[in-house]
Amino acid sequence: TRVMEVLLGSVTPNELMTGKIVGIGLVGLTQILIYMATAGVLRFVVAVKVSGGDMAWVQDALAPAKLAYFVVFFVLGYFFYTALFAAVGAVCNSEQEAQNMQQPLTMALMIPYIMTFFFVRNPDHIAAVIMSMIPPFAPMIMFTRLSVGSVPAWQVALSLALLIGPIWLVFRAAAKVFRVGILMYGKRPTIPEILRWARC
């Protein structure tokens, strides 16, 4: 749009994409901070008001370490998927086109969501371990495993390492696609064209 052309007169495409992603991410982090503050108050109230082990699961669920893991995996998962969605939005001319192109990303988000119902009861299953190492699934699956059981430290470290590297690659590719696609009008580019932009 003309508004986008005016914006790009003041900032680079990379700065514009990064600003959009970070701005929305800060909104999400603000919500998380509110949730964590509420959780801290709830944990304190449970510790003071409830005697015995009836509510021990609440104390465990709201443990500071688990809340910290939640923030870490939320931020990493957010950056991984938001860069991909930004690239999709840049190459689409209408909301209908965007809905069609984002279906694979939506499916990639739904798969770990569905699998968590199984992994909650089997956090150490080989499928859970493998999926918690695969970048598109790691944020949700690894946090699920951490929430319901004890995960070896090396698995957590490996999952984080395998997630951080692809995030950097996805950001680079998305920035290249965003730079080319943001000012394109008319026919939607093909998948091979988008892949070519990402490699340039």
Side-chain angles (χ1 to χ4, degrees):
T1 64
R2 297 299 178 189
V3 173
M4 191 63 67
E5 293 176 1
V6 172
L7 288 173
L8 292 175
S10 303
V11 297
T12 66
N14 287 357
E15 290 172 341
L16 180 61
M17 187 189 83
T18 303
K20 289 166 70 71
I21 290 173
V22 172
I24 297 171
L26 290 175
V27 174
L29 283 176
T30 302
Q31 291 177 317
I32 286 177
L33 290 175
I34 294 170
Y35 296 154
M36 290 181 70
T38 305
V41 172
L42 179 60
R43 192 170 193 268
F44 176 77
V45 169
V46 169
V48 172
K49 298 289 186 181
V50 180
S51 61
D54 293 340
M55 298 293 287
W57 64 273
V58 175
Q59 296 278 61
D60 181 63
L62 301 177
K66 290 186 177 180
L67 294 177
Y69 278 128
F70 174 74
V71 172
V72 169
F73 281 104
F74 168 82
V75 170
L76 293 178
Y78 170 81
F79 280 119
F80 183 86
Y81 277 102
T82 306
L84 293 174
F85 278 106
V88 168
V91 301
C92 296
N93 296 312
S94 69
E95 187 174 340
Q96 181 64 38
E97 286 183 7
Q99 288 177 349
N100 292 334
M101 289 198 69
Q102 73 183 7
Q103 285 179 355
L105 297 179
T106 304
M107 287 302 299
L109 281 168
M110 290 302 297
I111 289 171
Y113 175 75
I114 294 169
M115 294 303 294
T116 52
F117 292 104
F118 171 73
F119 294 151
V120 161
R121 296 182 180 178
N122 302 275
D124 296 322
H125 192 277
I126 185 64
V129 174
I130 292 172
M131 288 187 70
S132 65
M133 303 298 166
I134 301 173
F137 310 137
M140 193 176 296
I141 300 298
M142 180 55 80
F143 181 70
T144 298
R145 294 182 62 212
L146 287 165
S147 297
V148 298
S150 178
V151 180
W154 70 267
Q155 290 186 13
V156 178
L158 181 58
S159 178
L160 290 172
L162 292 175
L163 186 56
I164 291 171
I167 286 173
W168 183 76
L169 294 174
V170 165
F171 251 84
R172 284 194 50 156
K176 293 175 181 179
V177 172
F178 191 87
R179 185 175 64 245
V180 177
I182 197 65
L183 291 177
M184 287 195 67
Y185 301 100
K187 186 176 74 72
R188 188 181 72 189
T190 63
I191 298 298
E193 287 177 321
I194 296 172
L195 293 176
R196 188 170 64 250
W197 296 347
R199 289 195 299 269
C200 292

